[in-house]
Amino acid sequence: NAGVIQTPRHKVTGKGQEATLWCEPISGHSAVFWYRQTIVQGLEFLTYFRNQAPIDDSGMPKERFSAQMPNQSHSTLKIQSTQPQDSAVYLCASSSVNQDTQYFGPGTRLLVL
Amino acid sequence: SQWGEENLQALSIQEGEDVTMNCSYKTYTTVVQWYRQKSGKGPAQLILIRSNEREKRSGRLRATLDTSSQSSSLSITGTLATDTAVYFCATPTNSAGNKLTFGIGTRVLVRP
């Protein structure tokens, strides 16, 4: 079991460019979560999917951020027209249905110049 | 915010010492999870405690939960240098119990 896989581990983009972050959940897990971590705001919930369906995106900035889960083996977080304030570590987690424990990936560190 | 200000802490201790970190929350919950995050890694759950347990142990870890005071604590006995990490408490904030809100965290440095 390789755990939750996130790629890339580091990404540097210029202001205004698009960034796509990938997450491969643990095989068999039906829930996938995205979080953002910064020094100032800490760990913030962004969105989550259950059985590939979007359930709660209340933490997602309404503009420029979108998340998808086209199949059970991966999810993507896309940020359009990146801004310096989007710089953060983006964490993906997965869990089994009805399981309280979330298993986190190592995160993608995004730096927007 | 879900969390009390006293959650923000940085502690530096000697290997072998015991450490306790506290977490106070504002919205009623019946379950608190404690996660540990080491440098360059994602958080990993250490222990989950429910209100009907009040205290839970796992190896060198001991967690408590007091729903009347809306607080939880995590203690580590006989710390090791490998316990150096940031420790977070987290509570669910949706009815399904899986949308977690994390505290600011306690940074613990264990000196060898």
Side-chain angles (χ1 to χ4, degrees):
Chain A
N1 188 338
V4 175
I5 298 171
Q6 290 190 250
T7 55
R9 291 294 313 277
H10 302 273
K11 186 172 182 66
V12 180
T13 66
K15 182 179 175 180
Q17 293 183 332
E18 181 178 288
T20 299
L21 313 180
W22 293 72
C23 170
E24 181 179 330
I26 292 172
S27 178
H29 281 188
S30 57
V32 171
F33 306 82
W34 285 95
Y35 294 85
R36 177 170 63 183
Q37 186 173 32
T38 62
I39 297 294
V40 174
Q41 298 295 331
L43 259 166
E44 301 176 283
F45 168 85
L46 293 177
T47 186
Y48 92 92
F49 298 83
R50 186 174 62 229
N51 295 324
Q52 300 172 231
I55 302 299
D56 185 334
D57 67 353
S58 59
M60 291 277 275
K62 295 309 176 189
E63 296 180 357
R64 301 188 297 105
F65 282 64
S66 62
Q68 294 183 325
M69 191 163 185
N71 57 60
Q72 63 184 10
S73 64
H74 89 272
S75 175
T76 58
L77 179 67
K78 183 180 293 186
I79 309 172
Q80 295 178 313
S81 185
T82 54
Q83 302 298 309
Q85 61 265 29
D86 298 331
S87 297
V89 175
Y90 290 84
L91 292 158
C92 176
S94 70
S95 72
S96 297
V97 63
N98 296 327
Q99 183 185 48
D100 295 303
T101 302
Q102 295 185 18
Y103 296 85
F104 283 80
T108 294
R109 184 175 295 275
L110 176 66
L111 176 62
V112 182
L113 301 177
Chain B
S1 169
Q2 163 76 327
W3 307 102
E5 293 300 325
E6 62 270 29
N7 299 330
L8 177 60
Q9 276 191 312
L11 304 172
S12 179
I13 57 175
Q14 199 69 37
E15 195 170 35
E17 293 181 346
D18 300 343
V19 65
T20 296
M21 55 208 90
N22 300 293
C23 168
S24 63
Y25 52 90
K26 297 179 180 177
T27 303
Y28 180 78
T29 186
T30 58
V31 59
V32 172
Q33 302 185 38
W34 283 91
Y35 282 78
R36 176 175 67 188
Q37 185 175 26
K38 296 191 175 185
S39 180
K41 308 285 188 183
Q45 191 199 67
L46 294 176
I47 199 164
L48 181 154
I49 182 168
R50 302 183 190 278
S51 56
N52 61 353
E53 296 175 303
R54 297 189 65 81
E55 175 182 302
K56 191 167 187 179
R57 294 177 185 268
S58 175
R60 295 183 293 110
L61 305 175
R62 172 179 173 265
T64 66
L65 175 58
D66 183 343
T67 54
S68 63
S69 64
Q70 296 191 173
S71 63
S72 178
S73 70
L74 176 71
S75 298
I76 308 174
T77 57
T79 54
L80 304 170
T82 51
D83 292 325
T84 293
V86 180
Y87 293 80
F88 298 95
C89 55
T91 64
T93 52
N94 64 341
S95 57
N98 57 6
K99 177 182 174 180
L100 295 179
T101 298
F102 285 80
I104 292 296
T106 298
R107 185 176 297 275
V108 176
L109 170 64
V110 182
R111 305 186 306 274

